[in-house]
């Protein structure tokens, strides 16, 4: 690993995680852990059909049951405006969101909510839910993306006409939207190529697989004030969606962020929260709702499955001349797949002159997709990186060298519009080439694959407050739910800026009444953007402390500097004053103007793009098709690792999830469109014994726009594994697969075809 | 959910009486790693659950007549810690030890695995291949039955009203005998076999196979004993030709279905592969 310059006292060190003890002792409060006096338990009635019209809902038997305090249906929810609002990295239509929370006229996937009950116990609520009679008219359904695009496919929304094409189509269809990004002239590019490879690929939808199911406690008072406690990636997002759906003023809703047991993008929307508020409003009592794992699989997540066509050409000497991609993305029951970012990222790791990417957002009768780490990018880059590997082997060039030859650099124009600033793509490839791993000899039936990945990373709105307490300790407040150790990083950045011991800083993620707005914890933005707010707030507190020292010394504030946690005279000209520490200034604050604090409410710009390169070794059992991952190294430009352990954890976790995506994860539907594997037994995320130790190598090319050089790190690492595994399997078997997952039956079938 | 009774009798007779009284609405609780999952999922709703772990006869692994008696409450972990059992019946033990994870191992029993009557049960093929029997207590006293007679189909057993298994018995071992069990799952643990293969065999002093049994799991509604595969082994030195014949016979005997866990084509092929590999491992163990 590279040497950390001795530039910082806390940044780059492995401090103890502020939330660690609570989590290992079980003291931490997750979404389901709050119990309030008089609290009811809520349960949901879900559609048994993939596609059906709701003829009638009879709740009378349930409502009459002893212990039942409230029953709600869509009739209890105001009709939402179909106005798009931001949800994670995508825009969402409130009307669609409302239908996903509780179906109004039609059910569009098996598991969609049609009613909810609150009762004095979970058992009563469950039995009451079973008494709710829903009459359906079952409609033909469609699950697969290519099937859904066919002319004779059942149409989900008769009002939906494909956007992005002119003239507007005459017929409603399941294709919600068409997007296109291009650069140069691909015809000319392919004409200049010596080798052209074109392939079709498919990937399956995959769930984010967070361990904590969705859970909420909501309490609405008779005056209309609402308290919500839930596990989410953004309590301000929950506030906005509950307010928007139920037409309540935001100021009346207070959302407290529970500790979160994983989200990975999947908790950037609401499912239960509005229902719990509706039930609480009706019952006049607090209501808790917790999904079962079965419900999590049937009704939340996943990210899109897709069908792709990728075409690339290169000259004999290894220069890529053109890239062309067509992407068909499953959106689930309503529009909003991540096909846009997939199209933008597809060829972004490379410096190409001629690129064209066309994407289609397609609805079908399955769960509405929601963000999952680097939404869309793993899918499109899987296709591109698989072709990259094939091109390299056709041309007889080492696959890392081939990527270096064509890799993006500072100044590269990306097809999606930007010209890259300081980026670390080349540095990650060089680091990969330098690993021991890349040189280890392989045995029979073993293969090595590499792949790179690119993700934008985002900034956005964040607020932070620094309060200097009377005893010189510091309370840090912010509003970004901590999903990967961000409180540790916030404390480090505050301590570094203030020049005090990190243990003097207590970071807290506070409720929506106690801090300013923060956009969701997503887009790899928190350490970058909220971190920037923390630094700014710390600087504001420093300015205040300089002013206080200036007042005490009776000098001009410009004559006071802040160094190493102390106010000091800027020079001997200012005067000969003993430096005053933060604690000393805190102690006399009441005599110098009162409490000292610093705040920052920002919209952070200039997130640094992230690049990663992964190396994967596999062994394939030629008789069973079983793939063993032997070795795995994830290398990434992280800008600067504020807390290296949690950055390494991001790389390892992303790689693990990407490996699961590549090898085994898939949704299995029966002929009626019902999910057959709604549990971790048959929806196979990797278990610990499936994975080798994943080596994480941090490359640091600081992001010039962040005070400490931070780039987002959470999303890039899930991008390369799909192709790295695919390329390794190709090397081990001599067969190029073009469909995920690479499950044992799929591998064996592919090997049989080769013979 | 309401009104379920829990009982923990201290003797075989009490247990039998409780089970008989419930007239089919009772469930035996051993490790509970199937039972509790099924209760929670609402798949079963018995009137009474009878925990047999307080009955002394269900405990302990004892050497008997050259073989072993394994109490019905003995967990997979206990089997793995018994050196004599592991030496004599490595295949039976590896079947038991494939069940679940370390945590599940501390609870799960072979008898529970057998009586849950899943065609994919990992503990069962090697027991059948090894000629194991079980001791069954019931209203009419105690009887013995081959392990293979207990499951009659997915989730169904031949146990009568009031009956439960007290112990599983493994027979005496001749010299140069051993066994092996292999299964296929798409990951490395915490999964259900899509194919299982147990092989038990005896070699003579020259290394020629004199007796063999090959049993497949998860490729039919019940385990499948592949007589042709055993016949291919007997008289051979368990060489490549014999193993090829085992492979072909096992694939031919497999009658799997297409389901969410695997396809017919895949399971049929892999049944042969695993049977041949298990035979090779058993032979290597028998030789050493
Ligand atoms: C996480 C997990 C992983 C698992 N992995 C595997 C695996 O890899 N392979 C595998 O085969 N199984 C697996 N299982 C299933 C289960 O663990 C095994 O089948 C186990 O052997 C059951 O034993 P038990 O003692 O827990 O049975 P219990 O749950 O106590 O009982 C199972 C059934 O047998 C009946 N029963 C139990 N004892 C007797 C008796 N003495 N007489 C009559 N009836 C009886 C019960 O009434 C019940 O119907 C797994 C389960 C879990 C939860």
């Amino acid at each position: 690993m590279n040497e950390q310059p001795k530039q910082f006292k806390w940044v780059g060190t492995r401090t103890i995680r502020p939330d660690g003890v609570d989590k290992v002792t079980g003291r931490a409060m997750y979404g389901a852990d709050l119990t309030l006096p008089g609290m009811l338990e809520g349960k949901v009635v879900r559609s048994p059909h993939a596609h059906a019209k709701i003829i009638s809902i009879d709740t009378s038997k349930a409502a009459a049951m002893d212990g039942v305090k409230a029953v709600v249906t869509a009739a209890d929810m105001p009709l939402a405006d179909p106005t798009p609002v931001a949800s994670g990295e995508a825009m969402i239509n409130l009307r669609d969101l409302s239908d996903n929370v509780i179906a109004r006229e039609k059910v569009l996937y098996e598991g969609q909510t049609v009613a909810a009950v609150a009762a004095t116990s979970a058992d009563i609520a469950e039995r009451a839910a079973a008494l709710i009679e829903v009459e359906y008219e079952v409609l033909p359904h469609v699950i697969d993306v290519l099937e859904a695009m066919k002319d004779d496919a059942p149409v989900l929304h008769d009002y939906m006409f494909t956007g992005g094409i002119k003239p507007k189509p005459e017929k409603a269809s399941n294709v919600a939207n068409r997007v296109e990004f291009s650069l140069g002239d691909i015809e000319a590019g392919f004409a200049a190529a010596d080798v052209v490879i074109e392939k079709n690929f498919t990937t399956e939808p995959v769930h984010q697989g967070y361990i904590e199911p969705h859970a909420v406690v909501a309490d609405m008072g008779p005056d209309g004030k609402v308290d919500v406690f839930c596990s989410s990636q953004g309590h301000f997002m929950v506030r906005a969606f509950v307010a928007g759906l139920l037409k309540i003023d935001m100021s009346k809703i207070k959302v407290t962020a529970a500790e979160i047991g994983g989200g990975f993008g999947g908790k950037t929307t609401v499912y239960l929260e509005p229902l719990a508020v509706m039930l609480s409003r009706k019952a006049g009592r607090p209501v808790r709702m917790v999904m079962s794992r079965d419900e999590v699989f049937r009704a939340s997540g996943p990210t899109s499955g897709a069908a792709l066509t990728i075409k690339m050409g290169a000259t004999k000497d290894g220069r890529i001349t053109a890239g062309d991609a067509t992407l068909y993305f499953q959106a689930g029951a309503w529009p909003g797949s991540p096909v846009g970012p997939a199209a933008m990222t597809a060829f972004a790791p490379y410096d190409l002159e001629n690129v064209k990417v066309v994407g289609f957002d397609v609805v079908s009768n399955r769960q509405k997709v929601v963000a999952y780490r680097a939404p869309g990018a793993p899918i499109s880059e899987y296709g591109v990186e698989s072709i990259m590997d094939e091109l390299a082997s056709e041309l007889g060039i080492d696959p890392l060298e081939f990527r270096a030859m064509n890799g993006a650099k500072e100044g590269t124009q990306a097809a999606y519009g930007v010209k890259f600033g300081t980026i670390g793509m080349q540095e990650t490839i060089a680091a990969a080439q330098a690993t021991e791993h890349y040189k280890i000899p392989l045995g029979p039936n073993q293969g090595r694959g590499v792949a790179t990945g690119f993700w934008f990373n985002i900034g956005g709105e964040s607020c932070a407050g620094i309060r200097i307490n009377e005893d010189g300790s510091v309370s840090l407040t912010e509003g970004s739910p901590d999903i990967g150790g961000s409180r540790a990083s916030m404390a480090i950045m505050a301590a570094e800026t203030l020049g005090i011991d990190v243990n003097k800083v207590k970071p807290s993620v506070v409720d929506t009444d106690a801090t300013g707005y923060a956009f969701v914890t997503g887009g790899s933005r928190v350490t970058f953007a909220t971190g920037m707010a923390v630094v700014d707030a710390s600087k504001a507190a420093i300015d205040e402390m300089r002013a206080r020292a200036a007042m005490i010394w009776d000098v001009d504030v410009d004559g006071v500097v802040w160094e190493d946690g102390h106010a000091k005279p800027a020079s001997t000209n200012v005067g000969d004053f003993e430096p005053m520490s933060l604690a000393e200034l805190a102690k006399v604050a009441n005599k110098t103007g009162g409490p000292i604090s610093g705040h920052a409410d920002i919209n952070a710009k200039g997130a640094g793009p992230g690049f990663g390169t992964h190396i994967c070794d596999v062994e394939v059992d030629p008789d069973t098709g079983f793939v063993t991952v032997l070795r795995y190294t994830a290398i990434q430009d992280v800008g600067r690792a504020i807390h290296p352990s949690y950055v390494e954890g991001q790389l390892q976790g992303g790689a693990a999830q990407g490996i699961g995506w590549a090898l085994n994860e898939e949704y299995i539907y029966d002929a009626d469109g019902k999910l057959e594997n709604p549990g971790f037994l048959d929806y196979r995320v990797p278990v610990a014994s499936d994975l080798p130790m994943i080596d994480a190598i941090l490359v640091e090319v600081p992001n010039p726009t962040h005070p400490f050089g931070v780039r987002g790190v959470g999303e890039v690492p899930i991008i390369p594994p799909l192709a790295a595994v695919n390329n390794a399997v190709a090397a081990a078997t001599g067969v190029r697969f073009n469909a995920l997952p690479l499950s044992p039956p799929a591998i064996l079938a592919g090997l049989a075809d080769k013979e | 959910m309401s009104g379920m009774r829990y009982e923990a009798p201290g003797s075989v007779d009490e247990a039998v009486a409780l089970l008989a009284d419930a007239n089919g609405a009772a469930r035996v609780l051993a490790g509970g790693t199937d039972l509790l999952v099924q209760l929670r999922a609402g798949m079963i709703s018995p009137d009474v659950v009878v925990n047999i772990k307080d009955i002394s006869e269900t405990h302990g692994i004892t050497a008997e007549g050259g073989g072993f008696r394994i109490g019905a409450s003995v967990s997979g972990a206990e089997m793995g810690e018994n050196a004599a059992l592991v030496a004599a019946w490595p295949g039976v033990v590896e079947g038991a030890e494939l069940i679940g994870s370390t945590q599940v191992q501390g609870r799960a029993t072979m008898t529970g695995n057998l009586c849950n009557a899943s065609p994919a049960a990992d503990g069962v093929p090697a027991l059948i291949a090894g000629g194991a029997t079980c001791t069954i207590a019931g209203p009419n006293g105690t009887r013995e039955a081959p392990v293979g007679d207990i499951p009659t189909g997915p989730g169904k057993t031949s146990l009568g009203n009031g009956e439960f298994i007290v112990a599983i018995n493994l027979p005496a071992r001749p010299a140069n005998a051993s066994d092996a069990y292999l299964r296929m799952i798409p990951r490395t643990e915490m999964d259900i076999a899509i194919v299982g293969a147990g092989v038990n065999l005896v070699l003579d002093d020259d290394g020629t196979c004199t007796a063999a049994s090959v049993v497949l799991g998860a490729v039919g509604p019940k385990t499948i004993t592949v007589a042709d595969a055993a016949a291919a082994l007997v008289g051979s030195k368990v060489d490549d030709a014999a193993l090829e014949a085992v492979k072909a016979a096992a694939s031919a005997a497999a009658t799997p279905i297409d389901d969410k866990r695997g396809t017919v084509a895949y399971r049929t092929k892999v049944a042969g592969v695993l049977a041949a590999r298990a035979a090779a491992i058993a032979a290597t163990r028998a030789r050493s």
Side-chain angles (χ1 to χ4, degrees), chain A residues 123 621-626 664 668 676-677 680-687 689-690 744-745 748, chain B residues 1-2 184-192 194 247 259-263 266 269-270 273-274 277:
Chain A
D123 181 37
D621 183 329
D623 296 320
T624 65
F626 190 88
N664 272 313
I668 303 166
E676 289 199 285
N677 59 334
F680 282 133
L681 178 56
D682 290 306
Y683 181 88
R684 296 188 178 85
V685 301
V687 296
S689 55
D690 290 341
L748 209 54
Chain B
M1 178 141 194
S2 47
M184 178 64 210
I185 56 170
R187 55 186 166 198
T188 48
E189 58 176 33
M190 305 303 281
D191 218 318
I192 293 180
I194 48 182
K247 192 171 177 178
D259 70 6
K260 62 185 172 187
R261 301 211 170 97
T263 60
Y266 182 75
K269 166 137 204 243
V270 173
V273 171
L274 294 194
R277 287 182 183 176

Side-chain angles (χ1 to χ4, degrees), chain A residues 396-417:
Chain A
I397 304 174
D398 170 84
L400 284 177
E401 192 49 43
F402 184 52
R403 284 170 172 83
M405 288 161 71
N406 292 283
K409 302 182 254 320
E410 185 159 355
T412 293
Q413 173 68 50
Y416 73 85

Side-chain angles (χ1 to χ4, degrees), chain B residues 51-69:
Chain B
N51 178 4
I52 57 165
K53 291 192 291 294
D54 286 354
I55 304 170
S56 57
E57 287 91 327
T58 68
H59 287 284
I61 301 171
T62 43
E64 265 186 26
F68 292 88
R69 176 188 187 282

